[in-house]
Amino acid sequence: MILQLNMSSDTPIYMQLRNQIVMGIGSGELKTGEGLPSVRQLAVDIGINMMTVSKAYNILKNEGYIEIDRRHGAKVREDLDSNRKPTEKLEYGLSLLAAESKAKGMDKETFLKICEKTFNDINTQKLKEHRAC
Amino acid sequence: MILQLNMSSDTPIYMQLRNQIVMGIGSGELKTGEGLPSVRQLAVDIGINMMTVSKAYNILKNEGYIEIDRRHGAKVREDLDSNRKPTEKLEYGLSLLAAESKAKGMDKETFLKICEKTFNDINTQKLKEHRAC
DNA sequence: TATATGTATTATAATAAGTAATACAAAGTT
DNA sequence: AACTTTGTATTACTTATTATAATACATATA
């Protein structure tokens, strides 16, 4: 999986990493059970500090996306796709996006069409320049 | 319109203000053309600094939600609902939420159902405790 | 034993964020 | 003219965040 970081972005590196990995999982590019590079390897590959990678991995672990084994490194959780409950984050994030869209006069059909199109085409590169949270 | 701030939240006050006003517009509680309190009045009412309110108002202005007139204060833009183009923010925010949902095994129907329900029921109080961006 | 994994610790530097106090400029009101 | 109200600009101060670096540690594998 190709990771592209923007060092000039106002999104922190660890968050760019986190986002791109989430997108990779969502798009299917990263399969459940698939291993991620070691923190040292990834840090060297993209020219950043080991602890920055570790920070991204730990966020992903706490969010339930990956599991980390001291012996074998990090991998995408095997049971990841069995967790279908809508998260608070989804509800709250959607509330704000829906309010913004509605405020600007978008009708429901258009909004839902965009939601569907977005869900169908998860694009790993779409978040490069943008802040997630 | 009732504004409720959480001073313990990790969401800055100006962003809580901005979010709640957007929700107010989206829910219809604030109509187009309706005036907002002056920065001083609102600051006194909720016990915060004038510049914090000003910061929120300026974000809303830059995002196209309100217009600010030095003489008459801030009001919701008259032509707000004529702007139907999906914003970049919507596309990028949705991409991430969709990726997160898909990664955790949510199917499209469920995702879209939540999207629709959220769009139908914009709830001003839903974002109190959460970070927007 | 050597190597690989993630983690913990401590330090440092730079930047950004958040809030506040005060003064200013512009326009309306009396 | 004087006063009030509007948003804005400036400055200051404190705190939090971000990223890096250098080590050291614990654990398991080859």
Side-chain angles (χ1 to χ4, degrees):
Chain A
M1 173 176 182
I2 296 173
L3 295 170
Q4 292 186 313
L5 298 184
N6 176 2
M7 309 307 271
S8 307
S9 168
D10 59 349
T11 304
I13 298 173
Y14 72 85
M15 191 55 68
Q16 294 185 47
L17 270 180
R18 178 267 176 200
N19 289 344
Q20 292 197 33
I21 291 172
V22 170
M23 301 283 279
I25 300 173
S27 72
E29 195 174 349
L30 287 172
K31 313 290 184 187
T32 57
E34 184 168 345
L36 298 173
S38 74
V39 293
R40 281 178 179 78
Q41 185 63 52
L42 188 50
V44 169
D45 285 352
I46 55 188
I48 61 174
N49 191 275
M50 191 171 53
M51 295 309 291
T52 304
V53 179
S54 180
K55 189 167 183 178
Y57 278 13
N58 271 283
I59 290 173
L60 289 164
K61 183 184 75 173
N62 291 332
E63 292 179 330
Y65 292 104
I66 68 175
E67 49 195 5
I68 301 176
D69 181 350
R70 185 189 292 277
R71 332 194 266 300
H72 304 110
K75 65 174 184 177
V76 182
R77 272 181 62 171
E78 300 278 4
D79 60 345
L80 181 56
D81 53 8
S82 66
N83 186 356
R84 283 167 222 277
K85 295 197 304 280
T87 62
E88 274 199 0
K89 187 180 176 192
L90 172 61
E91 294 188 356
Y92 290 132
L94 267 182
S95 286
L96 195 46
L97 292 175
E100 292 169 350
S101 304
K102 210 167 180 175
K104 296 223 169 178
M106 186 180 294
D107 57 37
K108 184 164 70 175
E109 287 65 36
T110 305
F111 181 76
L112 289 177
K113 187 162 289 180
I114 295 173
C115 288
E116 183 173 15
K117 182 163 162 246
T118 305
F119 192 91
N120 286 335
D121 310 326
I122 304 287
N123 182 347
T124 310
Q125 297 312 317
K126 241 184 183 170
L127 285 189
K128 265 189 300 185
E129 311 284 340
H130 282 259
R131 155 151 294 165
C133 54
Chain B
M1 175 177 182
I2 296 172
L3 295 170
Q4 291 186 314
L5 298 184
N6 177 0
M7 308 309 272
S8 307
S9 168
D10 59 348
T11 304
I13 296 173
Y14 71 85
M15 191 56 67
Q16 294 184 47
L17 271 180
R18 178 267 175 200
N19 289 344
Q20 292 196 32
I21 292 172
V22 169
M23 301 284 279
I25 300 173
S27 71
E29 195 174 349
L30 287 173
K31 313 290 184 188
T32 57
E34 183 168 346
L36 298 173
S38 74
V39 291
R40 280 178 178 78
Q41 185 62 53
L42 188 48
V44 169
D45 285 353
I46 55 188
I48 62 175
N49 190 275
M50 193 172 49
M51 295 309 293
T52 305
V53 180
S54 179
K55 189 167 184 178
Y57 279 14
N58 271 283
I59 290 173
L60 289 165
K61 182 184 74 173
N62 291 332
E63 292 179 330
Y65 292 104
I66 69 175
E67 49 196 4
I68 301 177
D69 181 349
R70 184 189 291 278
R71 330 194 268 300
H72 304 110
K75 66 173 184 177
V76 180
R77 272 181 62 172
E78 300 278 5
D79 60 345
L80 181 55
D81 54 7
S82 66
N83 186 356
R84 284 167 221 279
K85 295 195 306 281
T87 63
E88 275 200 0
K89 187 179 177 195
L90 172 61
E91 294 187 356
Y92 290 132
L94 266 182
S95 286
L96 194 48
L97 291 176
E100 292 170 349
S101 303
K102 210 167 180 174
K104 297 222 169 179
M106 187 181 293
D107 57 37
K108 184 164 67 173
E109 288 64 35
T110 305
F111 181 76
L112 289 177
K113 186 162 290 185
I114 295 173
C115 289
E116 183 173 14
K117 183 163 162 244
T118 304
F119 191 91
N120 285 335
D121 310 326
I122 304 288
N123 182 347
T124 310
Q125 297 311 315
K126 241 184 183 171
L127 284 188
K128 265 189 301 185
E129 311 285 339
H130 283 258
R131 156 152 293 165
C133 56

